[in-house]
Amino acid sequence: MRRFVGVLVGRRARRRWVHLVLGGAVCMPYVFVGSILAGPLVGDRVVLGSLASQLLSFAFGLPLAAVTALFPLTRPMSVAAVRALCDVPDASLADGPPRSRAARARTAAWFTLHLGFGGIVSGMTLALVPFAAFLLALPLTVSLTDSWIGVPEHLHSVWTPLLAPVVGAVSLLALAGCAAGAGLLLARWAPALLGPTPADRLADAERRAADLAVRNRLARELHDSVGHALSAVTLQAGAARKLLDRDPEFVREALAAIEDTTRRTVGELDAVLGVLREGGERGRDGHAAPAPTLEADLDGLLRRTRAGGLRVDAAVDLGGPGGTAALPAMVSREGYRIVQEALSNVLRHAGPDSEVTLRVRLDGTGLEIVAENPLPDGARPPATRPGGGHGLRGIADRARLLGGTAEAGAHDGSPDGRRTHHPQGTHHPYGTWRLRVRLPLPTHP
């Protein structure tokens, strides 16, 4: 019994009833417009005066509602109302305006059904609730006042006060049943009529892919900038601690490099977090935070890396056939991150006392970055270390996004086929680790 009462007048049923009443309220302007057409047909000079006029006005009004439902904003408003009042799962409903004719037609069908059922239930509510209240109060009125006001004369009978409350209760029960049934039907039809179409699912998939790409880009930026900074600062601090008493000048340079590294990293971190906060690369001052590039920031990166004890033999040629302007901004930014991660890999896996040979060269077709460092005795390549290789995957992702290539692995020969040697001429007995990245330049017609 409790379950039956809950189905008729429970919280869910009451919310769906409200949804139907809202549909009836929206339906009224269409019914009034329909009455202009229906009045002359039935000869009714009073607006909605007769039952025939009301039904005909309702029949004329619903097609007008279906036409207006073709506007794009109808589906978002309908979906919002269904989510709020009909207890329909969010995943089964579409977001945004319809993208196809079929979706617009289904939205129009839903809107028409909502207004049709809502008009009927609203009319029943307005009519039956006062009627049932009158019947329920009739026995008390007759017994106290001995008055039959509002009751037709042919119903003045001893049985009328006894049967009136029963009829009133049945009327309310029928009203609740009709409202619950109509609300249940609309809730079941909502996913089919307001649910996502294949175009909606494709758009949602593209939106999720774009969000995932943004998160992956942020992860690469954090890994490359913050990871490099932490590795460099840790090694610089360790080198400064060892030489604190013997080489104060080196310690002073190391501390200055730590200060510079942390300051730049905080700025880059603020720019990345700005993407999360505002959806764009904006810092605390509200202006776009410039990303580091090869032309403007490579020298500082090499200087800070050398301050940590890593010996870097760099050969940089960004002149190209058209000067520095020939290097596009995107290629320059990604190239800087790739060089930064290459140096970070050397610091993490070969140690601060190692050395790296870096070549950055711009030619007529693209930017080439080659980094080589000797493998210490017993060392394993970064890609085979437990939990390692994230930086190399990030480099490969950056290169692939620009249409380039990235190769990394143990290497025992130089690019021209000869064995790799130390810059001073000492042979590396355990081979070298080599990273080679090629970023093509965009072609313009």
Side-chain angles (χ1 to χ4, degrees):
M1 184 64 181
R2 181 179 300 179
R3 183 177 180 181
F4 176 74
V5 173
V7 170
L8 291 182
V9 294
R11 180 176 179 272
R12 177 185 297 177
R14 294 196 303 270
R15 290 165 65 90
R16 291 176 176 174
W17 200 335
V18 171
H19 181 251
L20 288 166
V21 171
L22 290 177
V26 176
C27 183
M28 286 306 298
Y30 298 101
V31 173
F32 281 126
V33 174
S35 67
I36 299 175
L37 303 175
L41 295 179
V42 297
D44 195 349
R45 297 182 179 181
V46 180
V47 177
L48 302 178
S50 64
L51 178 61
S53 175
Q54 294 175 12
L55 294 177
L56 195 57
S57 300
F58 191 68
F60 282 146
L62 288 182
L64 297 176
V67 173
T68 58
L70 297 176
F71 288 96
L73 292 180
T74 302
R75 189 171 75 171
M77 292 189 297
S78 299
V79 168
V82 170
R83 283 175 172 165
L85 298 173
C86 290
D87 196 24
V88 176
D90 289 349
S92 63
L93 301 174
D95 293 314
R99 295 179 174 85
S100 64
R101 292 183 178 179
R104 287 193 291 270
R106 285 196 292 270
T107 302
W110 163 264
F111 191 71
T112 305
L113 288 171
H114 180 205
L115 268 59
F117 283 175
I120 294 172
V121 172
S122 297
M124 293 177 63
T125 303
L126 292 174
L128 290 180
V129 170
F131 176 70
F134 171 77
L135 294 179
L136 291 174
L138 182 62
L140 184 62
T141 303
V142 172
S143 63
L144 293 180
T145 64
D146 195 21
S147 173
W148 293 84
I149 297 178
V151 180
E153 186 175 353
H154 65 277
L155 293 179
H156 293 183
S157 169
V158 67
W159 294 102
T160 299
L162 298 177
L163 295 178
V166 177
V167 176
V170 172
S171 300
L172 291 178
L173 186 64
L175 174 61
C178 291
L184 178 61
L185 287 176
L186 288 181
R188 289 186 175 179
W189 291 338
L193 298 177
L194 297 177
T197 63
D200 295 324
R201 294 188 179 94
L202 179 60
D204 291 339
E206 292 175 349
R207 184 165 53 250
R208 288 194 297 269
D211 292 341
L212 181 61
V214 170
R215 289 197 296 269
N216 289 338
R217 181 172 64 85
L218 294 178
R220 287 197 304 269
E221 293 292 329
L222 289 175
H223 178 276
D224 292 349
S225 61
V226 178
H228 172 81
L230 292 176
S231 299
V233 167
T234 300
L235 296 173
Q236 289 163 350
R241 179 179 56 82
K242 293 178 182 179
L243 300 176
L244 181 61
D245 297 326
R246 290 180 293 169
D247 195 345
E249 183 63 27
F250 176 82
V251 174
R252 188 177 295 106
E253 294 178 0
L255 292 177
I258 290 175
E259 180 183 4
D260 186 32
T261 300
T262 53
R263 182 184 297 110
R264 290 182 58 85
T265 304
V266 168
E268 295 178 10
L269 180 61
D270 186 50
V272 173
L273 295 179
V275 177
L276 295 175
R277 290 193 300 264
E278 303 178 14
E281 295 186 356
R282 297 186 178 274
R284 294 188 180 94
D285 58 356
H287 298 288
T293 61
L294 286 175
E295 298 97 322
D297 302 282
L298 181 58
D299 291 340
L301 175 63
L302 297 177
R303 183 179 65 255
R304 293 188 298 272
T305 304
R306 291 182 178 118
L310 182 66
R311 298 186 297 275
V312 182
D313 180 22
V316 181
D317 179 13
L318 298 179
T324 56
L327 186 60
M330 178 63 72
V331 176
S332 183
R333 289 194 297 267
E334 297 301 315
Y336 175 89
R337 292 301 189 192
I338 290 172
V339 172
Q340 185 182 53
E341 182 56 34
L343 297 177
S344 297
N345 280 339
V346 177
L347 288 172
R348 283 193 295 264
H349 302 295
D353 297 329
S354 185
E355 58 192 347
V356 59
T357 301
L358 176 67
R359 297 199 312 276
V360 182
R361 187 174 67 90
L362 176 66
D363 56 30
T365 60
L367 178 70
E368 184 178 60
I369 300 172
V370 178
E372 294 180 336
N373 63 278
L375 289 173
D377 185 11
R380 285 182 291 177
T384 61
R385 288 178 181 269
H390 298 289
L392 294 177
R393 284 198 292 270
I395 290 175
D397 289 340
R398 291 181 184 275
R400 184 170 59 253
L401 288 175
L402 294 180
T405 59
E407 302 173 358
H411 184 69
D412 60 359
S414 61
D416 57 5
R418 297 172 297 184
R419 291 188 66 84
T420 304
H421 288 73
H422 188 279
Q424 285 77 24
T426 304
H427 173 63
H428 299 323
Y430 305 106
T432 62
W433 177 261
R434 179 185 176 189
L435 170 68
R436 182 178 182 273
V437 178
R438 180 79 182 178
L439 304 179
L441 298 178
T443 57
H444 301 284

